[in-house]
Amino acid sequence: MAATDLEKASTERAVATSVDPAEVPSAAWGWSGESRKTFRIAGWVVVVALLGMTIGNHQGHVEDIFLIGLAGLLAAIMVVDSLTRRVPR
C-alpha cells in the first residue's frame, strides 16, 4: 500500500540544468545535446546523394525535377541555418 505521509521538502537548492537525466539517459555520463557539425555533414551528404540519383537509366525527367528541387531546398535550409548561427543574438 502507498504511504499517506508526505515527505518533508528539502531546503537545499537544486542545481538547475537544461537536461533532465530521466528524460535523456546519456546526460548521466556527461554527454547530451546535438552535434551540429555532424548534422551539417550529413545534410550535405544527403544533398550529394539526391543529386547523384539524377544519373541513371530513367527516361522521364519528372524525377529529376523533384530530386533537384529537394536537394536545392535542403541546401538552402542549411545555408540559411549556417548564416543565422553566425549572427550574435
Side-chain angles (χ1 to χ4, degrees), residues 3-26:
T4 57
D5 296 334
L6 297 176
E7 295 180 14
K8 291 187 176 184
S10 175
T11 57
E12 296 178 17
R13 298 190 98 192
V15 177
T17 60
S18 62
V19 178
D20 184 17
E23 294 177 5
V24 183
S26 60

Side-chain angles (χ1 to χ4, degrees), residues 2-89:
T4 57
D5 296 334
L6 297 176
E7 295 180 14
K8 291 187 176 184
S10 175
T11 57
E12 296 178 17
R13 298 190 98 192
V15 177
T17 60
S18 62
V19 178
D20 184 17
E23 294 177 5
V24 183
S26 60
W29 47 269
W31 180 86
S32 182
E34 300 173 347
S35 174
R36 294 195 186 276
K37 184 177 180 182
T38 303
F39 289 146
R40 285 184 187 149
I41 292 170
W44 287 113
V45 167
V46 170
V47 168
V48 169
L50 286 171
L51 293 176
M53 283 189 239
T54 60
I55 302 169
N57 60 357
H58 51 273
Q59 295 178 3
H61 293 290
V62 176
E63 302 93 0
D64 294 343
I65 294 170
F66 280 101
L67 290 170
I68 292 170
L70 287 173
L73 178 67
L74 182 58
I77 289 171
M78 291 190 322
V79 167
V80 168
D81 180 57
S82 67
L83 291 176
T84 56
R85 292 285 171 199
R86 292 182 184 179
V87 177
R89 293 182 183 193

